[in-house]
Amino acid sequence: MKQRTEIATLGEFGLISHLTDALEIKNKSTLVGIGDDAAVLDYAEKQILVSTDLLLEGVHFDLTYVPLAHLGYKSAVVNFSDIYAMNGTPKQITVSIGLSKRFCVEDLEEFYAGLKQACTAYGVDIIGGDTSSSLTGLTISITCIGEADKDKIVYRSGANDTDLVCVSGDLGAAYMGLQLLEREKQVFRGEKDFTPDFSGKEYLLERQLKPEARKDIIEALAAEGILPTSMMDISDGLSSEMLHLCKKGNVGCRIYEERIPIDYQTALMAEQFNMSLTTAAMNGGEDYELLFTVPLVQHDKVSAIKGIKVIGHIAKPELGAYLIARDGTEVPMVAQGWNQLSE
Ligand code: ADP
Ligand code: MG
């Protein structure tokens, strides 16, 4: 049985120092972190990127099958992903949490262990936050601060006619992981120990529970001297994000179904669930891969980078946004976020 220390035994200040005392500052831009009324940052000539996320228990995560350490890791990483999607580097986060009495000191230790692991892996400092009791459940809000060179920031709006559309990694696995967890939750409903057998499906679970931000892709593009014309991360599914790039850039696109990268485990699971694989890849969320466009002349250079796939091209706005199916039919792309998918 897990030890349970009530938060009241430490008090709010005691809890904050218990969780944050051992934190070390890694970045030059962090002058003062936790401990004063505000943190102090020095970004000299860099431009600053700020992104924030709110996560509510029961809406964005389900603690029945999400371990708190994974939740900590993921809450940090999804914020880093937003900064990389601007072609920046995440440097600091603030962490604000609302907690009901259900949570004990050990729960928060677990959450912070995941958070710290993510921050260590990506070189990010935890520089502050806020802690409050709440009436129900767990609420997490993380704000991430990052830096970028002024002339290197990549917006959603820069795609031009004939640009290539590229995507990193593979799509649909996180959504399949969620389906798997939700299904097992139904099966195990009412039983005390939630320990289903997921062997052979580890990749799907990892993609759902412990996603990574594509720092490596940003670095590979920079090393090759490729500056995307537009970019965003895929949190809501390829269809919906592609439509964002088209709308913001006032362009159309053609995406080829056969070129969409899908992992073998994703395909197998879709078959078992009797689901359309393309639907899962196009509309499944939380992949946190990068979707970006590059000028056509960079075709050879970008296709040579491991983990990047060219999946289509940008077109004139009047041509609209279409998926070219395997049989050649043109299917208009629709914004069907992954939340709607599960209904
Ligand atoms: P205030 O009363 O000014 O809001 P707090 O007592 O809430 O200050 O916080 C004290 C210090 O601890 C501040 O530096 C704050 O940023 C930091 N802090 C509070 N909660 C957290 C948390 N959950 N994670 C990290 N740092 C936190
Ligand atoms: Mg406070």
Side-chain angles (χ1 to χ4, degrees), residues 12-13 16 19-20 23 33-39 94-97 112 126-131:
E12 187 194 320
F13 296 119
I16 295 168
L19 296 171
T20 62
L23 288 178
I34 293 169
D36 215 309
D37 295 311
T94 61
V95 183
S96 297
I97 39 191
Y112 267 77
I126 300 175
I127 58 159
D130 203 12
T131 312

Side-chain angles (χ1 to χ4, degrees), residues 9-303:
T9 58
L10 291 179
E12 187 194 320
F13 296 119
L15 177 69
I16 295 168
S17 51
H18 178 70
L19 296 171
T20 62
D21 269 357
L23 288 178
E24 278 168 30
I25 297 294
K26 307 181 232 358
N27 290 300
K28 246 187 20 225
S29 53
T30 312
L31 297 188
V32 176
I34 293 169
D36 215 309
D37 295 311
V40 184
L41 307 179
D42 182 356
Y43 270 103
E45 74 283 2
K46 296 274 187 181
Q47 291 209 330
I48 302 171
L49 306 168
V50 179
S51 174
T52 197
D53 248 325
L54 176 65
L55 300 171
L56 305 175
E57 184 180 358
V59 178
H60 301 101
F61 57 89
D62 185 336
L63 292 175
T64 323
Y65 52 74
V66 178
L68 279 160
H70 287 72
L71 183 63
Y73 193 90
K74 183 168 172 175
S75 339
V77 161
V78 301
N79 274 279
F80 303 162
S81 179
D82 280 322
I83 301 291
Y84 290 120
M86 301 295 289
N87 200 32
T89 309
K91 292 288 179 184
Q92 289 93 12
I93 55 169
T94 61
V95 183
S96 297
I97 39 191
L99 327 143
S100 71
K101 287 208 176 66
R102 220 175 86 223
F103 297 91
C104 63
V105 173
E106 287 75 12
D107 292 333
L108 286 172
E109 282 172 357
E110 224 186 287
F111 177 78
Y112 267 77
L115 205 59
K116 287 174 194 174
Q117 194 191 341
C119 288
T120 303
Y122 290 85
V124 171
D125 296 325
I126 300 175
I127 58 159
D130 203 12
T131 312
S132 169
S133 55
S134 84
L135 296 179
T136 50
L138 179 63
T139 299
I140 303 158
S141 176
I142 295 187
T143 297
C144 187
I145 297 150
E147 64 174 38
D149 291 333
K150 195 175 179 165
D151 52 351
K152 298 273 168 64
I153 298 179
V154 178
Y155 297 92
R156 293 180 175 186
S157 57
N160 300 307
D161 184 24
T162 78
D163 277 358
L164 299 169
V165 177
C166 306
V167 72
S168 65
D170 59 79
L171 301 179
Y175 176 71
M176 279 305 167
L178 181 66
Q179 295 309 303
L180 188 60
L181 287 163
E182 285 285 346
R183 187 187 63 174
E184 294 304 313
K185 183 185 164 183
Q186 298 304 326
V187 174
F188 276 76
R189 180 145 286 181
E191 289 187 36
K192 266 219 304 290
D193 292 315
F194 183 73
T195 49
D197 179 16
F198 288 127
S199 54
K201 306 189 173 73
E202 292 84 358
Y203 180 65
L204 305 179
L205 293 181
E206 191 177 311
R207 294 286 284 172
Q208 170 57 225
L209 294 174
K210 194 170 175 285
E212 299 293 346
R214 298 313 301 262
K215 177 181 201 275
D216 56 335
I217 295 292
I218 292 303
E219 288 168 355
L221 289 170
E224 288 300 323
I226 299 172
L227 185 65
T229 47
S230 70
M231 182 156 60
M232 66 187 299
D233 67 337
I234 306 181
S235 52
D236 266 351
L238 177 62
S239 272
S240 131
E241 315 299 26
M242 197 59 234
L243 288 172
H244 281 304
L245 289 192
C246 286
K247 190 160 181 230
K248 290 268 183 181
N250 189 30
V251 291
C253 73
R254 292 292 178 272
I255 302 297
Y256 296 88
E257 183 183 16
E258 63 188 13
R259 308 209 105 251
I260 297 170
I262 294 168
D263 186 81
Y264 176 72
Q265 282 191 23
T266 309
L268 210 61
M269 202 71 242
E271 199 178 295
Q272 281 180 27
F273 280 161
N274 221 347
M275 285 180 66
S276 152
L277 182 55
T278 301
T279 305
M282 292 295 287
N283 301 310
E286 300 195 289
D287 287 314
Y288 300 105
E289 295 295 346
L290 292 169
L291 173 67
F292 58 95
T293 55
V294 300
L296 183 56
V297 292
Q298 290 184 319
H299 178 272
D300 292 355
K301 236 180 172 182
V302 81
S303 339

